[in-house]
Amino acid sequence: MSDDRGIDPAVPPSGAGCAECEAGGGWWFHLRRCAACGHVGCCDSSPGQHATAHFRASGHPVVQSYEPAEDWFWDYAADRLRESGPALAPPVSHPEDQPSPGPAGRVPADWARSLRG
């Protein structure tokens, strides 16, 4: 990644799941972690699209996938994938036993119908 401005590798993630979905009893498809402040939000395929909402509200443009075995970054401001970046503070993903979509017990049986394209 060529431009790491606005990224704070020392900040831990805000939690194991999407902060807004957790607060409101919602669910997510996949998770993204803000590389500036650690906010964990749900992806754009999720009903809430909270990671993008966090970018719009905060101006923090770079997120990293918060899925196990994924380490790519997305830059909302540049609208492009960044395949690498600095190592962020652990944990680097949600717990491996947490399902995607998640969290367990809150995902509707017809969850695929609710995905956004």
Side-chain angles (χ1 to χ4, degrees), residues 1-53:
M1 187 179 327
S2 59
D3 184 0
D4 292 343
R5 286 177 293 165
I7 295 175
D8 187 345
V11 175
S14 62
C18 174
E20 290 81 7
C21 289
E22 291 284 22
W27 63 277
W28 55 82
F29 184 50
H30 288 134
L31 298 171
R32 308 293 178 243
R33 172 188 177 174
C34 177
C37 71
H39 175 272
V40 176
C42 54
C43 72
D44 284 351
S45 295
S46 300
Q49 301 180 329
H50 293 120
T52 296

Side-chain angles (χ1 to χ4, degrees), residues 21-116:
C21 289
E22 291 284 22
W27 63 277
W28 55 82
F29 184 50
H30 288 134
L31 298 171
R32 308 293 178 243
R33 172 188 177 174
C34 177
C37 71
H39 175 272
V40 176
C42 54
C43 72
D44 284 351
S45 295
S46 300
Q49 301 180 329
H50 293 120
T52 296
H54 175 74
F55 158 63
R56 290 184 181 136
S58 69
H60 299 161
V62 181
V63 294
Q64 185 177 38
S65 175
Y66 200 53
E67 296 297 316
E70 294 184 1
D71 60 0
W72 53 265
F73 289 76
W74 179 260
D75 185 330
Y76 286 107
D79 194 30
R80 70 178 182 91
L81 177 69
R82 294 182 169 192
E83 293 182 15
S84 65
L88 301 182
V92 296
S93 73
H94 65 75
E96 291 202 29
D97 64 351
Q98 176 179 296
S100 288
R106 289 206 314 251
V107 180
D110 64 345
W111 63 267
R113 289 180 172 202
S114 299
L115 292 182
R116 296 174 171 244

